[in-house]
Amino acid sequence: PVVVEEAAPAAPREAMDINQAVQMVLKKALAHDGLSRGLHEAARAIEKGEAQLCILAEDCNQPDYKKLIEALCAEHNVNLISVPENKQLGQWAGLCKIDPSGEARKVV
């Protein structure tokens, strides 16, 4: 799970789907140090009331993690968005190495 603490809306130049919007929000939150990555950081940010948005991968292999994050988001009124793949979410959140050609490697 990834939690975005602060995200400033930007005026889109063209219509975008939800995945492009999530990718843009994560990129901006990462640049402004407003991103909590991982279960522990995400749960802490949600409980402190710092989280505005939580993004959870649908293919999470731990159902208990999904239940915990969904319950915390519901309890603290934090918006929850699901993305299809955890590898894709990891890449968007900056949990990867970028090789010299600009391709993502070692995505967590």
Side-chain angles (χ1 to χ4, degrees):
V2 176
V3 175
V4 179
E5 294 172 10
E6 293 182 21
R13 293 183 187 91
E14 59 189 50
M16 63 175 73
D17 67 350
I18 188 74
N19 287 336
Q20 290 173 330
V22 166
Q23 188 175 4
M24 188 175 75
V25 167
L26 286 175
K27 189 174 184 180
K28 288 186 179 199
L30 183 63
H32 295 287
D33 198 32
L35 198 60
S36 299
R37 299 174 285 197
L39 179 67
H40 189 205
E41 285 183 26
R44 214 171 357 152
I46 293 169
E47 287 181 342
K48 282 184 177 180
E50 297 172 348
Q52 297 177 1
L53 172 69
C54 184
I55 304 167
L56 183 64
E58 290 174 0
D59 66 345
C60 177
N61 55 4
Q62 298 289 336
D64 292 343
Y65 289 179
K66 284 181 85 168
K67 284 183 185 176
L68 173 66
I69 293 300
E70 289 168 352
L72 283 173
C73 287
E75 182 180 336
H76 294 280
N77 297 322
V78 175
N79 297 320
L80 181 65
I81 294 178
S82 293
V83 294
E85 298 179 22
N86 56 3
K87 296 285 186 190
Q88 189 178 44
L89 180 58
Q91 183 178 347
W92 293 347
L95 295 173
C96 63
K97 299 284 184 186
I98 307 293
D99 66 8
S101 65
E103 295 294 318
R105 302 281 180 233
K106 298 183 181 178
V107 180
V108 177

